[in-house]
Amino acid sequence: MKAYWNITKSTIPITLSVLFLFIKNQDNVFAAPPRLHLCRPEQRDALVKLKNKLEVFISPFGYNCYVNGTIVTPHPKTVSWEINNDCCTWEGITCNPESGEVIKLDLSCSYLRGQLHSNISLHSLTALDLSSNDFNGQIMSSLGNLSLLTSLDLSYNRFSGEIPSSFGNLSHLTSLDLSDNQLSGQLPSWIGNLSHLTQLDLSSNNFSGQIPSTIGKLSHLTFLLSLGNNKLIGPIPSSISKQTNLQYLDLSNLNTQGPFPELVKTKQLLTDLDVSKNKLKGQVPGWLWTLPYLRHVDLSNNNLINFERSTRSGPSLMMAALLVSNNNFTGNIPSFICELPSLRTLDLSNNNFDGVIPSCMANLRRTLSDLNLAQNRLHGGLPEYIFKYLRSFDVGHNQLTGKLPRALIHSTYLEVLNVGNNVINDTFPFWLSSLPNLKVLVLRSNLFHGPILLQAPFPKLQIIDVSHNHFNGALPSDYFVKWSAMSSLATNEDKLSRKYMGDVYYYDSLVLMNKGVVMELVRILKIYTALDFSRNKLEGKIPRSIGLLKELHVLNLSNNTFTGHIPSSMGNLSALESLDVSQNQLSGEIPQELGSLSYLAYMNFSHNQLAGLVPGGTQFRRQNCSSFEGNKGLFGPSLEEDCRDIIHTPASHKQYETTEESEEEDEEVLSWIAAVIGAVPGVILGLTIGYILVSYRPEWFVNPCVRKKHKHRRRSNATH
C-alpha cells in the first residue's frame, strides 16, 4: 500500500502536466482562428487613396533629413504599400495591435510631392508626421478633425496660407511643428487653448503681426525648438515669463525692439535661451547669470552695450556657451566671464572691446573649446597659457602685437587658428605642422617674414592664407607633395558628418579672397579648400607639385615675383573654381590643360610676360578682358572677339602679319608700276599716230574706196 502510494505520489505531477497541456491545446483548437489581416479595410482604402493623390519624386541631387538629431537618408516609404492587404505591415504605419486601427502615420523624408485635398479619415491617429517632403498649397482644415492627435509635424515643406482655425480643436496636442514652410497671416490667439502643448515650433515662415499674449497660457511648454525667422513685430509678451516649465526658449529674429525683456525668473528650469537677431538695446540684465540651469545663451546681432553684474548669487555653474557677437559692447572684456567654470564656447566678436585679453581667462584653459575675439580693438600680446582643449581660436582684425605663443603647440585639438589682420611680427610657424587636427591657418595682413619652409607637412590643413605679409624666398618643386588633405579630402566620414566646421551651437567663419573679391564665409564647408600666398615677396618657379592638390577650390599666388612657366600640372586641379597668378613675372604660354577645368569660374593672368595661344575653353571665353591685360603676346579666339583694345598682339604674330601685308602691298605697287611702264609708250605712240593721221589726212584713210582702187591697180599691173 505504501509502495502504491509512493508510485501514485510520484506520478501525480506528471499527470497534472499532461492534463494541463491537453486542456491548453483544447483551448487552442476550440478558440477562434487568428486574424490574418490586422488592418481594417476602410483604413487601408483611405491610405491607398492618400497615396494615389501624391506624386513620388526622386531628387537627382539627394538630400539628408534630420530626425531627432540623427541623419536619415530619404526614401519613398509608400512604395511598400499594397504589397499585401495588411496595411499594418506597411512602412510608416503603426497600428493598435488589438483593434487594428492606424494610430501613427510617419511619411517623413519620403520624396512626396503634391497637395493634400482629400480628408485623412483615420480618426484614431495620435501622431502624424509629413515633414521633409515637398507638399504645397494650404493645410487641410480637416486635420482639425483628428481629435486624438498628440503630435503633428508638417515642417520642411511648402505649405502656404494661414493655420486652419480647426487646429484649435486639437486639445490633446503635446507637440506642434509647422516650421520651415510658407505660412502667413497672424498667429492666432486660440493657440493659447492648446493647453497640453509641451513643444511648439512656428519658425521660418511668413507670419506677421505681434506674438499673441495668450501664448503665456501654455503653462506646460518646455520647448518654445522657435518663433523666429518670420515677419513678427512688437515686443516679446511679458506673459512668457509665467511659463515656469520652459527649458528651451527661442525668440530669435523677431525684429523686436526695446530693452532686454524680463523673460524668466530665477526658479525656472530654463537651459537654453536664444534672443539673437533682434534690436534689443541697453544692457544685459544681471538676473540672467543667476539662473542655475542655464547652459546656452545667444544674444548676438542686437544693439546691447554692456553687462549688468548680478547682486545675488554667483554666475551659472552650468553655462557652456555664451554668444554675444555683433553688438555694441565697449570697454574691457568683463572679468565675470572668467568665473564660468563650464564655459566651452565664447564668441565676443564684432564688438568694440578694447584693452588686453584678460589674464584671468587662464581659468578657462581646461574647458574652452571655441574662442572668438575677432573684430574688436584688442591690443597687447596673445596669451601664453595653454588652452588644452581649444578647437577654434579666432583673434583676427584686432591690434595684437608680439609673436605667436609657442604654447599653441600643446593645443592638440586645434582645428582653426586665425590671427589675421593684426600687427604680429614673427617668422612662419612651421612648428604648427605638428598639430594633428589643424585644418585652417590664417596669418594674413601681419608682419610675418622669412621663407615659408616646412620641416614637416600639415596632415589635415585644407585652408591656408598667409597673404599680405613679407614672406620671401623660393618654394621647392616638391613643396606640396605631402599636403594630403587638399589632395583627397572627401571621405565617407565627411559625407556622414555635419556639413560645416563647428558644432551644434557654434560654426566657424572666415573672410577670404575668392574670385577677385573679399568674401565672408559665415559657415565653412568641411570640404572647402583654399590656398592664398598672395602679396608677399615669393620668387622662383611655381612648384610643379601644385598639381597634386586635386581638391583645391581657390588658388591665389598673385602679387609676388614668381618666374618661369605656369606648370601644366595645374590642369589636374579638377575642383578649382578660382585661380589668380596676376602681378608676377611669369612667361611662356598659359597651359592648354587649364581649358579642361570645368569648375574654373574666375581666373586672372594679368600683368605678367605671358605669350602664345590662350586656351579656348568656354570658361576662358567668359572672362573679363582685364584678366589677360598687361601681357606681351597673348592671342587666340577667346581674346580677339572682345579684347582687341587691351591685349597686345604678340610680336612674332604681328611681325608675320606685317611682313605678309607689306609683301602684298609691294606686289600691288610693282604691278601698278609695271602696268604704267608698259602703257606709257603705247599711249605716246598711239597719240603720235593719231596726231599724224588727223593732221595730214591721207586719202586711203579718209576714203575707203580709194584704198580699193589702189589695190585693184596693183593687181592689174601685175597681170599685165
Side-chain angles (χ1 to χ4, degrees), residues 63 95 228 347 396 508:
Y63 64 95
C95 293
D347 187 353
D508 300 300

Side-chain angles (χ1 to χ4, degrees), residues 511-558:
V511 175
L512 191 72
M513 179 68 74
N514 185 12
K515 299 181 181 178
V517 296
V518 177
M519 181 181 298
E520 181 180 7
L521 304 178
V522 179
R523 296 182 179 183
I524 307 174
L525 283 168
K526 282 193 170 184
I527 60 172
Y528 192 78
T529 56
L531 189 153
D532 192 343
F533 282 9
S534 65
R535 294 191 178 273
N536 283 285
K537 300 176 182 179
L538 299 175
E539 58 188 13
K541 295 182 178 180
I542 298 174
R544 295 192 304 272
S545 56
I546 193 84
L548 298 174
L549 310 184
K550 296 180 181 180
E551 297 290 343
L552 194 61
H553 294 109
V554 177
L555 176 59
N556 191 347
L557 302 176
S558 66

Side-chain angles (χ1 to χ4, degrees), residues 283-289 306-311 329 336:
Q283 61 184 3
V284 181
W287 55 259
L288 191 63
W289 316 117
N306 60 26
F307 298 94
E308 180 188 19
R309 287 301 305 268
S310 173
T311 57
F329 291 108
F336 82 89

Side-chain angles (χ1 to χ4, degrees), residues 332-462:
N332 295 336
I333 295 176
S335 59
F336 82 89
I337 290 176
C338 304
E339 302 171 14
L340 301 174
S342 301
L343 196 62
R344 295 184 65 252
T345 299
L346 176 63
D347 187 353
L348 305 180
S349 62
N350 287 277
N351 282 286
N352 295 307
F353 289 114
D354 56 22
V356 299
I357 299 175
S359 59
C360 69
M361 291 189 71
N363 298 341
L364 308 176
R365 63 184 184 275
R366 295 187 179 275
T367 60
L368 267 186
S369 173
D370 303 299
L371 177 59
N372 192 342
L373 305 177
Q375 299 279 356
N376 281 287
R377 300 176 180 176
L378 301 173
H379 57 82
L382 288 166
E384 288 287 347
Y385 42 81
I386 300 170
F387 288 105
K388 184 175 182 181
Y389 298 104
L390 200 61
R391 188 202 63 83
S392 176
F393 187 33
D394 190 345
V395 291
H397 289 85
N398 279 286
Q399 301 165 18
L400 299 170
T401 57
K403 296 185 176 183
L404 281 184
R406 278 9 184 208
L408 285 171
I409 200 172
H410 300 291
S411 300
T412 55
Y413 295 93
L414 194 64
E415 295 182 6
V416 178
L417 176 60
N418 186 352
V419 298
N421 294 85
N422 281 285
V423 201
I424 298 174
N425 192 337
D426 203 348
T427 56
F428 183 76
F430 62 87
W431 43 271
L432 288 176
S433 62
S434 63
L435 296 180
N437 296 298
L438 190 64
K439 298 179 180 178
V440 178
L441 176 61
V442 178
L443 308 178
R444 70 175 292 140
S445 297
N446 277 283
L447 300 177
F448 286 97
H449 54 273
I452 315 180
L453 296 179
L454 301 180
Q455 294 184 353
F458 290 88
K460 291 191 176 181
L461 194 66
Q462 61 190 71

Side-chain angles (χ1 to χ4, degrees), residues 492-667:
N492 291 330
E493 180 182 356
D494 294 320
K495 295 176 181 178
L496 294 175
S497 60
R498 282 185 290 268
K499 293 171 59 177
Y500 303 101
M501 293 185 186
D503 57 26
V504 176
Y505 295 99
Y506 177 79
Y507 290 101
D508 300 300
S509 60
L510 184 66
V511 175
L512 191 72
M513 179 68 74
N514 185 12
K515 299 181 181 178
V517 296
V518 177
M519 181 181 298
E520 181 180 7
L521 304 178
V522 179
R523 296 182 179 183
I524 307 174
L525 283 168
K526 282 193 170 184
I527 60 172
Y528 192 78
T529 56
L531 189 153
D532 192 343
F533 282 9
S534 65
R535 294 191 178 273
N536 283 285
K537 300 176 182 179
L538 299 175
E539 58 188 13
K541 295 182 178 180
I542 298 174
R544 295 192 304 272
S545 56
I546 193 84
L548 298 174
L549 310 184
K550 296 180 181 180
E551 297 290 343
L552 194 61
H553 294 109
V554 177
L555 176 59
N556 191 347
L557 302 176
S558 66
N559 288 273
N560 283 285
T561 56
F562 284 115
T563 56
H565 293 185
I566 299 174
S568 59
S569 62
M570 281 190 182
N572 298 326
L573 305 181
S574 55
L576 198 63
E577 301 173 7
S578 176
L579 172 63
D580 193 345
V581 293
S582 63
Q583 300 284 349
N584 280 286
Q585 299 176 17
L586 298 170
S587 59
E589 295 185 345
I590 298 175
Q592 296 298 312
E593 289 84 352
L594 297 184
S596 62
L597 300 181
S598 56
Y599 293 108
L600 190 57
Y602 172 85
M603 61 191 79
N604 193 346
F605 302 96
S606 64
H607 301 286
N608 279 285
Q609 301 171 15
L610 299 171
L613 180 66
V614 173
T618 304
Q619 62 275 31
F620 275 82
R621 294 177 181 269
R622 293 175 178 172
Q623 299 303 307
N624 292 326
C625 297
S626 59
S627 297
F628 305 97
E629 68 180 359
N631 286 287
K632 64 178 182 179
L634 292 176
F635 66 93
S638 57
L639 301 185
E640 294 175 357
E641 294 177 0
D642 302 313
C643 304
R644 293 181 182 272
D645 297 333
I646 293 180
I647 304 301
H648 299 291
T649 306
S652 58
H653 188 59
K654 185 175 182 179
Q655 182 179 0
Y656 171 76
E657 289 182 348
T658 304
T659 303
E660 186 177 10
E661 290 175 358
S662 61
E663 288 178 356
E664 290 179 356
E665 292 175 356
D666 291 345
E667 288 179 1

